[in-house]
């Protein structure tokens, strides 16, 4: 099983709709979880950290399910500008290293 | 302006040539990292450094070398031993805050083999 797995998509989403996707991880001892946004040919930019209790930032909601070992990202009221690849990252316990998934590609359609 | 800078933006390498990618940060971060990203792939860790004058191999270190002589700088050399160097190279740094290892990325360098 890979350390971090994501369904690459693409996820084609009508403008204004809600889209959600998951990221599964294999190391049950992982403690830190992140979502990054990466635009085409650009560097990843931190979107949000994922906390145990779940957290929300505007239209974005992140959840952590430790029992099933996945994190999720939900985007409400999708905008055209939300089109990007969303990478999840999970720490490797015991050091500062992160393992990244391949990303979920989101395409918001007018 | 605080942040991470990488240069050059594009780099061309001839067969058998070593090339060095620059990464500088003024965030006062202790840890720095080099990743490689291939099309449609996730980020793969090449090398990382948690403190000056110390660094460790990542998952795909063969054909690469690094140095960490200053806190602000973590250059990556792609040697001729790296047979498939064409990729997008990303440098990152982190400052451990509250147990979270949030990493921030530079703009990247695209390396192409001629």
């Amino acid at each position: 099983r890979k350390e971090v797995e994501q369904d690459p998509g693409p996820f084609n989403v009508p403008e204004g709709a809600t889209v959600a996707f998951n990221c599964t991880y294999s190391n049950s001892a992982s403690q830190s979880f992140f979502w990054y946004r990466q635009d085409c040919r650009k560097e990843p930019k931190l979107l949000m950290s994922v906390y145990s209790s779940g957290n929300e930032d505007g239209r974005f909601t992140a959840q952590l399910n430790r029992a099933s070992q996945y994190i999720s990202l939900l985007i409400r009221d999708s905008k055209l500008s939300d089109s990007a690849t969303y990478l999840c990252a999970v720490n490797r316990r015991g050091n500062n290293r992160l393992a990244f998934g391949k990303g979920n590609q989101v395409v918001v359609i007018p | 302006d605080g942040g991470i800078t990488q240069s050059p933006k594009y780099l061309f390498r001839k067969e058998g040539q070593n090339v060095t990618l620059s990464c500088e940060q003024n965030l006062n971060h202790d840890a720095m990292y080099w990743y490689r990203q291939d099309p449609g792939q996730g980020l793969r860790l090449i090398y990382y450094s948690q403190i000056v004058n110390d660094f460790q191999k990542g998952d795909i270190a063969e054909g690469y070398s690094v140095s960490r002589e200053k806190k602000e700088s973590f250059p990556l050399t792609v040697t001729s031993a790296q047979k498939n160097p064409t990729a997008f190279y990303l440098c990152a740094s982190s400052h451990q805050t509250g147990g979270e290892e949030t990493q921030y990325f530079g703009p990247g360098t695209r390396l192409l083999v001629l």
Side-chain angles (χ1 to χ4, degrees):
Chain A
R1 184 180 176 184
K2 292 184 179 178
E3 274 189 279
V4 181
E5 290 197 78
Q6 294 182 258
D7 177 357
F11 293 78
N12 296 315
V13 186
E15 193 175 5
T18 296
V19 61
F21 34 83
N22 296 336
C23 164
T24 59
Y25 61 94
S26 60
N27 185 353
S28 60
S30 294
Q31 294 294 316
S32 302
F33 308 88
F34 307 92
W35 282 105
Y36 285 82
R37 171 192 170 127
Q38 185 174 26
D39 292 293
C40 188
R41 302 180 70 79
K42 298 288 189 179
E43 75 274 23
K45 294 187 177 178
L46 181 68
L47 181 65
M48 56 201 306
S49 302
V50 185
Y51 303 117
S52 297
S53 56
N55 47 302
E56 188 174 304
D57 183 2
R59 298 180 292 107
F60 297 83
T61 300
Q63 297 279 351
L64 167 63
N65 185 318
R66 285 195 184 276
S68 299
Q69 293 183 211
Y70 72 86
I71 61 173
S72 64
L73 181 66
L74 182 145
I75 307 174
R76 286 185 301 278
D77 187 23
S78 297
K79 311 292 184 190
L80 295 177
S81 57
D82 293 334
S83 296
T85 297
Y86 292 85
L87 303 173
C88 71
V90 177
N91 86 309
R92 292 164 156 172
R93 179 120 175 113
N95 54 52
N96 283 358
R97 297 166 62 176
L98 293 178
F100 285 83
K102 293 184 179 181
N104 299 111
Q105 185 186 5
V106 172
V107 179
V108 181
I109 303 165
Chain B
D1 236 23
I4 305 171
T5 57
Q6 290 186 243
S7 62
K9 187 173 182 179
Y10 297 96
L11 185 58
F12 300 93
R13 192 191 92 165
K14 295 179 182 178
E15 293 288 341
Q17 185 181 40
N18 292 354
V19 292
T20 298
L21 285 60
S22 168
C23 177
E24 304 277 333
Q25 55 97 2
N26 61 4
L27 301 169
N28 199 34
H29 285 172
D30 291 309
M32 297 186 74
Y33 313 80
W34 274 106
Y35 293 91
R36 167 182 174 142
Q37 188 176 36
D38 294 281
Q41 300 296 314
L43 278 65
R44 292 186 290 168
L45 183 65
I46 305 172
Y47 267 99
Y48 66 106
S49 167
Q50 294 183 292
I51 196 168
V52 175
N53 292 323
D54 188 40
F55 49 82
Q56 287 79 39
K57 292 182 179 180
D59 302 311
I60 54 166
E62 186 175 351
Y64 300 96
S65 65
V66 293
S67 62
R68 187 86 186 277
E69 297 176 2
K70 298 187 299 180
K71 186 175 185 178
E72 303 79 20
S73 179
F74 191 40
L76 173 75
T77 296
V78 184
T79 74
S80 57
Q82 172 49 244
K83 298 306 178 188
N84 185 22
T86 296
F88 187 36
Y89 289 87
L90 290 157
C91 178
S93 68
S94 70
H95 172 67
Q96 193 164 352
T97 303
E100 291 189 7
E101 304 87 355
T102 308
Q103 293 185 18
Y104 299 92
F105 288 85
T109 293
R110 291 195 181 275
L111 176 61
L112 296 168
V113 176
L114 297 177

